Amino acid sequence: MYLGTHHMMVLVPTKSSCCTYIIKVHRLYDFIPNDTSNMLYAAMEIIQQVPCSCHFKDGYASKSEDDDDNSKSFQNVLLKNLNALYHFIRPYACAGVVIAATSNSLLPVEKLSDLTPTFFIGLLKALVPALLMHIYVAAINQLSDVEIDKVNKPYLPLASGEFSMGTGIAITLTSVLMSLAIAIMLRSPPLVLGVIVWFLFGTAYSVQGNSFLAAISIMFLNGLLQQFPYFIHIQKYVLGRPVEITRSLMFATVFICCFCIASAFLKDLHDVDGDKEFGIETLSVKLGKERVFWLCVYMLSIAYGAAVVVGASSSILLSKLLTIISHCILASSLWLRARTVDLSSNTSTFSFYMFIWKLYYVEYLLIPFVRC
């Protein structure tokens, strides 16, 4: 509101437009006295009769409600897209990539003095192409399975329509090209080779429909490609030491390969309905949920038993105790949780599958301490 000598202007915002009311004040004593306080009082009386709310700041009207609505609409669209992207990239698997690469990068470390800024910078640089290649695999998998996901996982962005196929393709191409480019820029042959093989097996995993081949692909993706490339990259190209394959690395590779095969079969348990509808003969479709479920539980139990044996053979007391006790606890947790699963419920089987991912995270946290 602006008060002049002979005029008074009132700006009143409404939903459709901003209306301006101008009150011309004449020096007519029978209308409004020539007194500033009375002029203000008269103006406020008029404003109170206007059927809308006014907000003033520094003497001027605030932005219109249309601007506020547009701002809120933009924020809602942005948050919706970010949420869709969050589900599109499968964040639980992204966390697995980071934990796995970090764990395997710690295996070449022989003393605390190796943990220099150079080590951490080299690790962070190596994580970037790995995360981008993971996003590529997650994206192309959803592009290939969009029709099946409408039955099995209708909440995914492509299946639900939150992302168009064009958006999915754009994310897929961008992530794979950036991953390859950054790996080449780092001038580390093991990383470049690892990214290329990851690309090939990730593509094969996504476009084929055989559950056994899918399990083999996952074993290579998570069991081999997240072990050797990062171990050799840190050992030779960051720490500057000759390449030496250790027993700890071999244990980690064998254990995680068994873990990945089991998780690949468990992944299909809650997808049986859609797989049957589209004629995809996974192991769960062929043998039934119960047989596959307990096969995977026994497979993981054997892996934990092998880890206890490896720990018992360690010459380092701390490593021996930690390896034996922790894997006994994890094996017990596995069996306790397995007994509570309702195989007729997709929610229950999916919850157990996510529990396996938590065991996967914990195992990678333990691997740097397993010194054979």
Side-chain angles (χ1 to χ4, degrees):
M1 178 174 65
Y2 171 75
L3 294 176
T5 304
H6 299 289
H7 298 80
M8 182 163 52
M9 181 181 294
V10 181
L11 300 178
V12 183
T14 64
K15 275 197 171 182
S16 57
S17 62
C18 183
C19 301
T20 303
Y21 294 84
I22 301 175
I23 308 167
K24 293 184 179 180
V25 181
H26 302 282
R27 293 182 182 275
L28 298 176
Y29 293 95
D30 56 343
F31 178 62
I32 297 178
N34 186 17
D35 182 81
T36 303
S37 61
N38 290 336
M39 291 170 65
L40 288 171
Y41 177 77
M44 294 308 298
E45 286 291 321
I46 295 174
I47 292 173
Q48 289 177 2
Q49 297 176 15
V50 178
C52 64
S53 59
C54 298
H55 302 280
F56 297 94
K57 184 178 180 181
D58 297 330
Y60 295 93
S62 66
K63 290 183 179 180
S64 67
E65 293 181 10
D66 279 347
D67 291 338
D68 293 338
D69 290 342
N70 290 337
S71 176
K72 290 180 180 179
S73 177
F74 173 77
Q75 292 176 3
N76 291 336
V77 171
L78 179 61
L79 290 175
K80 183 179 179 181
N81 287 332
L82 289 176
N83 182 64
L85 182 63
Y86 175 82
H87 288 93
F88 189 71
I89 66 175
R90 292 175 180 169
Y92 63 88
C94 280
V97 170
V98 173
I99 294 173
T102 303
S103 177
N104 291 313
S105 297
L106 288 170
L107 286 177
V109 174
E110 297 176 356
K111 49 188 181 296
L112 288 177
S113 59
D114 289 337
L115 300 176
T116 62
T118 301
F119 168 84
F120 289 107
I121 291 172
L123 172 60
L124 289 174
K125 288 180 178 178
L127 285 175
V128 176
L131 285 171
L132 288 169
M133 188 54 69
H134 159 73
I135 292 173
Y136 161 75
V137 174
I140 194 172
N141 180 256
Q142 291 179 63
L143 286 172
S144 302
D145 293 345
V146 63
E147 294 300 326
I148 302 175
D149 286 340
K150 289 179 180 179
V151 178
N152 290 334
K153 302 165 187 172
Y155 54 85
L156 291 177
L158 289 178
S160 65
E162 289 182 280
F163 277 175
S164 65
M165 291 295 288
T167 301
I169 292 172
I171 294 174
T172 304
L173 293 177
T174 301
S175 57
V176 69
L177 292 176
M178 288 182 64
S179 178
L180 291 169
I182 293 174
I184 293 171
M185 289 170 59
L186 292 177
R187 298 180 180 179
S188 173
L191 281 184
V192 175
L193 180 61
V195 166
I196 292 174
V197 177
W198 197 341
F199 164 74
L200 295 175
F201 275 94
T203 304
Y205 163 72
S206 299
V207 300
Q208 53 76 42
N210 185 285
S211 61
F212 180 75
L213 293 178
I216 297 298
S217 297
I218 291 178
M219 183 189 73
F220 272 95
L221 288 173
N222 297 333
L224 296 176
L225 295 179
Q226 292 182 15
Q227 314 293 329
F228 289 95
Y230 289 95
F231 180 90
I232 297 173
H233 168 72
I234 294 295
Q235 190 176 60
K236 183 175 182 179
Y237 295 92
V238 176
L239 297 177
R241 294 173 183 155
V243 177
E244 180 184 354
I245 304 301
T246 63
R247 291 179 62 189
S248 297
L249 176 63
M250 295 307 299
F251 161 76
T253 302
V254 174
F255 186 95
I256 296 300
C257 282
C258 293
F259 214 98
C260 290
I261 292 174
S263 66
F265 290 142
L266 287 171
K267 179 179 179 292
D268 293 331
L269 289 179
H270 54 277
D271 292 341
V272 168
D273 295 336
D275 292 339
K276 285 182 178 179
E277 182 176 334
F278 286 87
I280 299 176
E281 295 186 352
T282 62
L283 200 65
S284 297
V285 173
K286 292 180 179 179
L287 301 181
K289 287 185 177 182
E290 185 171 359
R291 288 184 179 178
V292 173
F293 175 79
W294 288 109
L295 173 65
C296 294
V297 171
Y298 287 131
M299 189 182 301
L300 293 174
S301 300
I302 292 171
Y304 282 130
V308 170
V309 173
V310 170
S313 65
S314 175
S315 59
I316 304 173
L317 180 60
L318 178 61
S319 175
K320 177 183 293 189
L321 293 176
L322 183 62
T323 304
I324 293 174
I325 295 172
S326 60
H327 286 92
C328 286
I329 293 173
L330 292 175
S332 300
S333 300
L334 171 68
W335 275 90
L336 288 173
R337 184 61 186 271
R339 292 180 182 277
T340 65
V341 176
D342 179 9
L343 294 176
S344 63
S345 169
N346 287 336
T347 302
S348 181
T349 54
F350 181 75
S351 177
F352 182 77
Y353 173 70
M354 296 308 299
F355 172 74
I356 296 300
W357 270 98
K358 293 175 183 177
L359 295 180
Y360 179 84
Y361 298 153
V362 173
E363 187 60 38
Y364 265 121
L365 293 176
L366 292 172
I367 279 175
F369 299 99
V370 180
R371 301 289 173 164
C372 306

